[in-house]
Amino acid sequence: MDKSIIESIKAELNGKGNFLAKILNTFAMVKEELGEHSWVGLYLYDSMGKVFNLGPFQGSPACEEIAPGKGVVGACALAKETLYVPDVREFPGYISCDARAKSEAVFPLIDENGNVIGVFDIDHPEYNGLEKDLPILQEIANLIAGIGIN
Ligand code: SME
Protein backbone atom coordinates (compact mmCIF):
# COMPACT_ATOMS: atom_id res chain seq x y z
CA MET A 1 0.00 0.00 0.00
CA ASP A 2 1.40 3.39 -0.96
CA LYS A 3 1.98 5.82 1.89
CA SER A 4 0.29 8.56 -0.13
CA ILE A 5 -3.03 6.99 0.87
CA ILE A 6 -2.64 8.71 4.25
CA GLU A 7 -2.90 12.18 2.68
CA SER A 8 -5.90 11.11 0.59
CA ILE A 9 -7.64 9.74 3.67
CA LYS A 10 -6.89 12.86 5.69
CA ALA A 11 -8.45 14.95 2.91
CA GLU A 12 -11.47 12.63 2.83
CA LEU A 13 -12.01 12.61 6.60
CA ASN A 14 -11.54 16.37 6.90
CA GLY A 15 -13.89 17.01 4.00
CA LYS A 16 -17.51 18.10 4.04
CA GLY A 17 -19.42 14.82 3.78
CA ASN A 18 -21.30 13.22 6.65
CA PHE A 19 -19.69 10.59 8.84
CA LEU A 20 -20.99 7.59 6.90
CA ALA A 21 -19.98 9.00 3.51
CA LYS A 22 -16.46 9.77 4.71
CA ILE A 23 -15.96 6.43 6.38
CA LEU A 24 -17.31 4.42 3.44
CA ASN A 25 -15.09 6.30 1.00
CA THR A 26 -12.10 5.79 3.29
CA PHE A 27 -12.75 2.05 3.49
CA ALA A 28 -13.27 1.89 -0.29
CA MET A 29 -9.86 3.53 -0.78
CA VAL A 30 -8.16 1.04 1.53
CA LYS A 31 -9.95 -1.91 -0.07
CA GLU A 32 -8.91 -0.78 -3.56
CA GLU A 33 -5.28 -0.79 -2.42
CA LEU A 34 -5.55 -4.22 -0.82
CA GLY A 35 -7.32 -5.78 -3.78
CA GLU A 36 -10.17 -8.10 -4.55
CA HIS A 37 -11.60 -10.20 -1.70
CA SER A 38 -10.10 -8.01 0.98
CA TRP A 39 -12.50 -6.71 3.64
CA VAL A 40 -12.28 -3.37 5.42
CA GLY A 41 -14.72 -2.35 8.11
CA LEU A 42 -15.71 -1.42 11.61
CA TYR A 43 -17.29 -3.27 14.50
CA LEU A 44 -18.97 -0.82 16.87
CA TYR A 45 -19.56 -1.46 20.57
CA ASP A 46 -23.14 -1.45 21.83
CA SER A 47 -22.80 -0.87 25.56
CA MET A 48 -26.46 -1.86 26.19
CA GLY A 49 -26.23 -5.17 24.37
CA LYS A 50 -22.57 -5.63 25.33
CA VAL A 51 -21.67 -6.80 21.83
CA PHE A 52 -19.78 -5.44 18.87
CA ASN A 53 -22.16 -4.86 15.99
CA LEU A 54 -21.18 -4.87 12.35
CA GLY A 55 -20.71 -1.26 11.28
CA PRO A 56 -19.86 0.36 7.94
CA PHE A 57 -17.64 -1.82 5.74
CA GLN A 58 -16.51 -2.54 2.18
CA GLY A 59 -16.41 -6.19 1.16
CA SER A 60 -18.48 -9.35 1.35
CA PRO A 61 -21.34 -9.77 3.85
CA ALA A 62 -19.95 -10.35 7.34
CA CYS A 63 -20.85 -11.61 10.82
CA GLU A 64 -23.23 -9.17 12.50
CA GLU A 65 -22.43 -9.55 16.20
CA ILE A 66 -19.23 -10.39 18.05
CA ALA A 67 -19.02 -10.64 21.84
CA PRO A 68 -16.03 -9.15 23.68
CA GLY A 69 -13.38 -11.84 23.97
CA LYS A 70 -14.68 -13.79 20.96
CA GLY A 71 -12.77 -14.08 17.72
CA VAL A 72 -9.99 -11.77 16.60
CA VAL A 73 -12.23 -8.71 16.96
CA GLY A 74 -13.29 -9.58 20.52
CA ALA A 75 -9.72 -10.44 21.53
CA CYS A 76 -8.54 -7.07 20.24
CA ALA A 77 -11.27 -5.30 22.22
CA LEU A 78 -10.44 -7.15 25.44
CA ALA A 79 -6.69 -6.63 25.12
CA LYS A 80 -7.14 -3.02 23.87
CA GLU A 81 -4.28 -3.78 21.53
CA THR A 82 -3.64 -4.08 17.83
CA LEU A 83 -3.51 -7.73 16.79
CA TYR A 84 -2.13 -9.20 13.61
CA VAL A 85 -3.05 -12.75 12.63
CA PRO A 86 -0.90 -13.84 9.64
CA ASP A 87 -2.69 -17.20 9.39
CA VAL A 88 -6.29 -17.28 10.60
CA ARG A 89 -6.16 -21.10 10.93
CA GLU A 90 -3.82 -20.66 13.85
CA PHE A 91 -5.95 -18.26 15.89
CA PRO A 92 -7.97 -20.13 18.56
CA GLY A 93 -11.63 -19.15 18.35
CA TYR A 94 -11.27 -17.43 14.99
CA ILE A 95 -14.69 -16.46 13.59
CA SER A 96 -14.88 -17.16 9.88
CA CYS A 97 -17.23 -14.85 7.96
CA ASP A 98 -15.71 -15.49 4.52
CA ALA A 99 -13.71 -18.62 3.70
CA ARG A 100 -11.42 -16.53 1.47
CA ALA A 101 -10.00 -14.56 4.41
CA LYS A 102 -6.51 -15.85 5.25
CA SER A 103 -4.96 -13.10 7.36
CA GLU A 104 -6.47 -10.38 9.52
CA ALA A 105 -5.44 -7.19 11.34
CA VAL A 106 -7.53 -5.47 14.01
CA PHE A 107 -7.05 -2.09 15.68
CA PRO A 108 -8.98 -0.98 18.78
CA LEU A 109 -10.61 2.46 18.67
CA ILE A 110 -10.39 3.82 22.20
CA ASP A 111 -12.26 6.86 23.56
CA GLU A 112 -10.92 9.47 25.97
CA ASN A 113 -12.08 7.37 28.95
CA GLY A 114 -10.08 4.36 27.79
CA ASN A 115 -13.13 2.42 26.58
CA VAL A 116 -13.02 0.47 23.33
CA ILE A 117 -15.80 1.94 21.22
CA GLY A 118 -15.00 0.07 18.06
CA VAL A 119 -12.58 -2.17 16.23
CA PHE A 120 -11.15 -1.40 12.79
CA ASP A 121 -10.91 -4.76 11.04
CA ILE A 122 -9.11 -5.73 7.82
CA ASP A 123 -9.11 -9.15 6.18
CA HIS A 124 -6.77 -10.21 3.37
CA PRO A 125 -7.18 -13.19 1.00
CA GLU A 126 -3.49 -14.23 1.31
CA TYR A 127 -1.62 -15.66 4.27
CA ASN A 128 0.49 -12.90 5.81
CA GLY A 129 -1.10 -10.52 3.34
CA LEU A 130 -1.02 -7.47 5.60
CA GLU A 131 2.35 -7.46 7.32
CA LYS A 132 3.97 -4.81 5.13
CA ASP A 133 0.93 -2.54 5.42
CA LEU A 134 0.56 -2.67 9.21
CA PRO A 135 2.21 0.72 9.92
CA ILE A 136 -0.02 2.48 7.38
CA LEU A 137 -3.12 0.67 8.61
CA GLN A 138 -2.28 1.73 12.17
CA GLU A 139 -2.07 5.34 10.99
CA ILE A 140 -5.44 4.98 9.29
CA ALA A 141 -6.92 3.50 12.49
CA ASN A 142 -5.62 6.52 14.41
CA LEU A 143 -7.24 8.89 11.90
CA ILE A 144 -10.57 7.06 12.19
CA ALA A 145 -10.41 7.15 16.00
CA GLY A 146 -9.66 10.87 15.73
CA ILE A 147 -12.91 11.78 13.95
CA GLY A 148 -15.07 10.39 16.78
CA ILE A 149 -17.15 7.45 15.72
CA ASN A 150 -19.99 7.55 18.23
N1 SME B 1 -12.71 -12.93 11.70
C1 SME B 1 -13.26 -12.02 12.67
C2 SME B 1 -14.72 -11.80 12.41
C3 SME B 1 -15.03 -10.59 11.61
S1 SME B 1 -14.66 -10.74 9.98
O1 SME B 1 -13.23 -10.94 9.79
C4 SME B 1 -15.24 -9.53 9.04
C5 SME B 1 -13.02 -12.53 14.07
O2 SME B 1 -12.51 -13.64 14.26
O3 SME B 1 -13.35 -11.80 15.01
Side-chain angles (χ1 to χ4, degrees):
M1 192 182 302
D2 195 285
K3 208 173 164 14
S4 65
I5 194 173
I6 295 295
E7 291 313 312
S8 309
I9 288 175
K10 278 185 188 165
E12 177 62 42
L13 293 178
N14 293 327
K16 281 212 306 212
N18 68 20
F19 168 78
L20 196 55
K22 292 180 194 186
I23 215 80
L24 288 171
N25 273 339
T26 296
F27 291 174
M29 287 155 68
V30 176
K31 183 174 160 56
E32 272 191 4
E33 288 284 321
L34 294 176
E36 213 186 356
H37 305 313
S38 60
W39 191 96
V40 182
L42 278 184
Y43 280 88
L44 298 172
Y45 191 57
D46 166 13
S47 53
M48 301 293 283
K50 298 198 177 350
V51 290
F52 286 87
N53 289 314
L54 180 61
F57 69 93
Q58 299 287 359
S60 299
C63 313
E64 293 185 1
E65 284 188 357
I66 298 177
K70 300 290 182 191
V72 182
V73 168
C76 166
L78 217 56
K80 299 187 181 182
E81 277 173 9
T82 294
L83 291 180
Y84 177 51
V85 180
D87 181 344
V88 298
R89 296 170 300 185
E90 291 179 1
F91 189 90
Y94 173 76
I95 301 167
S96 175
C97 305
D98 179 346
R100 290 171 299 201
K102 302 288 194 297
S103 52
E104 178 161 356
V106 282
F107 303 84
L109 306 179
I110 298 174
D111 71 8
E112 59 279 8
N113 301 316
N115 297 315
V116 179
I117 51 176
V119 174
F120 178 44
D121 183 10
I122 298 102
D123 290 348
H124 196 278
E126 290 167 19
Y127 294 115
N128 203 20
L130 294 167
E131 187 175 25
K132 64 183 184 321
D133 294 323
L134 288 175
I136 295 181
L137 292 172
Q138 181 68 64
E139 269 194 71
I140 296 169
N142 296 345
L143 292 174
I144 294 167
I147 66 165
I149 57 164
N150 58 347

Short mmCIF file of all heavy atoms in Angstrom, two decimals, residues 39 43 62 66 71-73 94-95 97 104 121 123, ligand 1:
data_model
loop_
_atom_site.label_atom_id
_atom_site.label_comp_id
_atom_site.label_asym_id
_atom_site.label_seq_id
_atom_site.Cartn_x
_atom_site.Cartn_y
_atom_site.Cartn_z
N TRP A 39 -11.33 -7.22 2.90
CA TRP A 39 -12.50 -6.71 3.64
C TRP A 39 -12.01 -5.64 4.59
O TRP A 39 -11.01 -5.84 5.31
CB TRP A 39 -13.16 -7.85 4.41
CG TRP A 39 -14.51 -7.56 5.00
CD1 TRP A 39 -15.72 -7.85 4.44
CD2 TRP A 39 -14.79 -6.95 6.27
NE1 TRP A 39 -16.74 -7.44 5.28
CE2 TRP A 39 -16.19 -6.89 6.42
CE3 TRP A 39 -14.00 -6.45 7.30
CZ2 TRP A 39 -16.82 -6.36 7.54
CZ3 TRP A 39 -14.63 -5.90 8.43
CH2 TRP A 39 -16.02 -5.86 8.53
N TYR A 43 -16.32 -2.74 13.53
CA TYR A 43 -17.29 -3.27 14.50
C TYR A 43 -17.44 -2.22 15.59
O TYR A 43 -16.45 -1.68 16.07
CB TYR A 43 -16.81 -4.61 15.06
CG TYR A 43 -17.10 -5.74 14.09
CD1 TYR A 43 -16.19 -6.08 13.11
CD2 TYR A 43 -18.32 -6.41 14.14
CE1 TYR A 43 -16.48 -7.08 12.19
CE2 TYR A 43 -18.61 -7.41 13.22
CZ TYR A 43 -17.69 -7.75 12.26
OH TYR A 43 -17.99 -8.73 11.35
N ALA A 62 -20.77 -9.90 6.21
CA ALA A 62 -19.95 -10.35 7.34
C ALA A 62 -20.80 -10.64 8.57
O ALA A 62 -21.99 -10.27 8.63
CB ALA A 62 -18.92 -9.28 7.66
N ILE A 66 -20.38 -9.70 17.45
CA ILE A 66 -19.23 -10.39 18.05
C ILE A 66 -19.13 -9.98 19.51
O ILE A 66 -19.10 -8.77 19.82
CB ILE A 66 -17.93 -10.04 17.29
CG1 ILE A 66 -18.03 -10.51 15.82
CG2 ILE A 66 -16.73 -10.71 17.97
CD1 ILE A 66 -16.84 -10.16 14.96
N GLY A 71 -13.39 -14.34 19.01
CA GLY A 71 -12.77 -14.08 17.72
C GLY A 71 -11.61 -13.09 17.81
O GLY A 71 -11.18 -12.70 18.90
N VAL A 72 -11.11 -12.71 16.66
CA VAL A 72 -9.99 -11.77 16.60
C VAL A 72 -10.47 -10.38 17.05
O VAL A 72 -9.79 -9.67 17.81
CB VAL A 72 -9.42 -11.71 15.17
CG1 VAL A 72 -8.23 -10.78 15.10
CG2 VAL A 72 -9.03 -13.10 14.68
N VAL A 73 -11.67 -10.02 16.61
CA VAL A 73 -12.23 -8.71 16.96
C VAL A 73 -12.41 -8.60 18.47
O VAL A 73 -12.00 -7.61 19.11
CB VAL A 73 -13.58 -8.50 16.23
CG1 VAL A 73 -14.33 -7.30 16.77
CG2 VAL A 73 -13.33 -8.34 14.72
N TYR A 94 -11.08 -18.28 16.16
CA TYR A 94 -11.27 -17.43 14.99
C TYR A 94 -12.70 -17.57 14.45
O TYR A 94 -13.22 -18.68 14.33
CB TYR A 94 -10.26 -17.82 13.89
CG TYR A 94 -10.49 -17.11 12.59
CD1 TYR A 94 -10.13 -15.78 12.43
CD2 TYR A 94 -11.09 -17.77 11.51
CE1 TYR A 94 -10.37 -15.13 11.23
CE2 TYR A 94 -11.32 -17.12 10.31
CZ TYR A 94 -10.95 -15.80 10.18
OH TYR A 94 -11.20 -15.16 9.00
N ILE A 95 -13.33 -16.45 14.15
CA ILE A 95 -14.69 -16.46 13.59
C ILE A 95 -14.58 -16.25 12.08
O ILE A 95 -14.13 -15.19 11.63
CB ILE A 95 -15.56 -15.34 14.21
CG1 ILE A 95 -15.64 -15.52 15.73
CG2 ILE A 95 -16.94 -15.33 13.58
CD1 ILE A 95 -16.21 -14.30 16.45
N CYS A 97 -16.06 -15.45 8.64
CA CYS A 97 -17.23 -14.85 7.96
C CYS A 97 -17.14 -15.10 6.46
O CYS A 97 -18.15 -15.08 5.78
CB CYS A 97 -17.28 -13.35 8.21
SG CYS A 97 -17.26 -12.88 9.94
N GLU A 104 -5.58 -11.41 8.98
CA GLU A 104 -6.47 -10.38 9.52
C GLU A 104 -5.68 -9.45 10.45
O GLU A 104 -4.82 -9.90 11.21
CB GLU A 104 -7.61 -11.07 10.30
CG GLU A 104 -8.58 -10.11 10.96
CD GLU A 104 -9.91 -10.79 11.32
OE1 GLU A 104 -10.11 -11.98 10.99
OE2 GLU A 104 -10.75 -10.11 11.93
N ASP A 121 -11.22 -3.37 11.38
CA ASP A 121 -10.91 -4.76 11.04
C ASP A 121 -10.60 -4.87 9.54
O ASP A 121 -11.35 -4.36 8.71
CB ASP A 121 -12.15 -5.61 11.38
CG ASP A 121 -11.94 -7.08 11.12
OD1 ASP A 121 -10.81 -7.51 10.87
OD2 ASP A 121 -12.96 -7.82 11.20
N ASP A 123 -9.40 -7.77 6.57
CA ASP A 123 -9.11 -9.15 6.18
C ASP A 123 -8.41 -9.15 4.82
O ASP A 123 -8.74 -8.32 3.95
CB ASP A 123 -10.41 -9.96 6.00
CG ASP A 123 -11.11 -10.22 7.31
OD1 ASP A 123 -10.51 -10.00 8.37
OD2 ASP A 123 -12.28 -10.65 7.26
N1 SME B 1 -12.71 -12.93 11.70
C1 SME B 1 -13.26 -12.02 12.67
C2 SME B 1 -14.72 -11.80 12.41
C3 SME B 1 -15.03 -10.59 11.61
S1 SME B 1 -14.66 -10.74 9.98
O1 SME B 1 -13.23 -10.94 9.79
C4 SME B 1 -15.24 -9.53 9.04
C5 SME B 1 -13.02 -12.53 14.07
O2 SME B 1 -12.51 -13.64 14.26
O3 SME B 1 -13.35 -11.80 15.01
#
